[in-house]
Amino acid sequence: MKRFLLSIVGLLAFAIGMNAETYTHTFGEGELTTAGGNVTLNGMEWTASSANSIGWNAEKGIQLGKKNEACENFSLTTSAFKDYTITSVTVYGCIASSGDAKVTIKAGNSTSEQYALGASSTECKFECKEHGDIVISWNATQRAYYVSKIEVQYEIPADMVDVALYANNVEEY
């Protein structure tokens, strides 16, 4: 009986406490191309739009556009989190000096405000409670801008958490 109760308590704690997850992708050189298309970023499928110019800056991340030629519109889209509750999407990036770029984040049916990128690393965090695709869009009027990292916080429904393995590992005290 004691083992059974410990199993139930353990299963509930596991199901409740272990369903919040964070996906993080820090960009590396060569991960995106001007042609766009499907890319795997830290194990998740994304679709990138095409871009006139994509480069790399070791301190700032993926460079979109050039000094005198903005990448006016660029987006990353994923359906990888559609079965989960998306609680926030955070994009980190910055703009080249004298530039102007904005980020908009859409999760399911909710859309963020437009976040203006600053000259130093800017955190653009959109909090929500949504299901569906994630679309991150950048719009620029001048200069290059950079994206260094994406984070998605999400919750896995309790009925999708695999608790069978945990139940078999409860020790009798």
Side-chain angles (χ1 to χ4, degrees), residues 77-139:
T77 304
T78 187
S79 298
F81 303 95
K82 68 179 182 191
D83 294 329
Y84 311 128
T85 302
I86 302 161
T87 58
S88 71
V89 179
T90 307
V91 177
Y92 297 85
C94 64
I95 187 77
S97 62
S98 303
D100 177 36
K102 294 182 175 45
V103 177
T104 305
I105 302 166
K106 182 177 183 210
N109 293 319
S110 295
T111 303
S112 73
E113 63 182 278
Q114 284 193 327
Y115 302 101
L117 293 177
S120 60
S121 185
T122 305
E123 176 185 293
C124 307
K125 185 172 186 174
F126 177 50
E127 295 182 345
C128 58
K129 279 273 197 199
E130 285 291 335
H131 295 270
D133 292 351
I134 295 173
V135 180
I136 304 169
S137 303
W138 289 265
N139 298 304

Side-chain angles (χ1 to χ4, degrees), residues 27 37 57 128:
F27 284 91
N57 181 300
C128 58

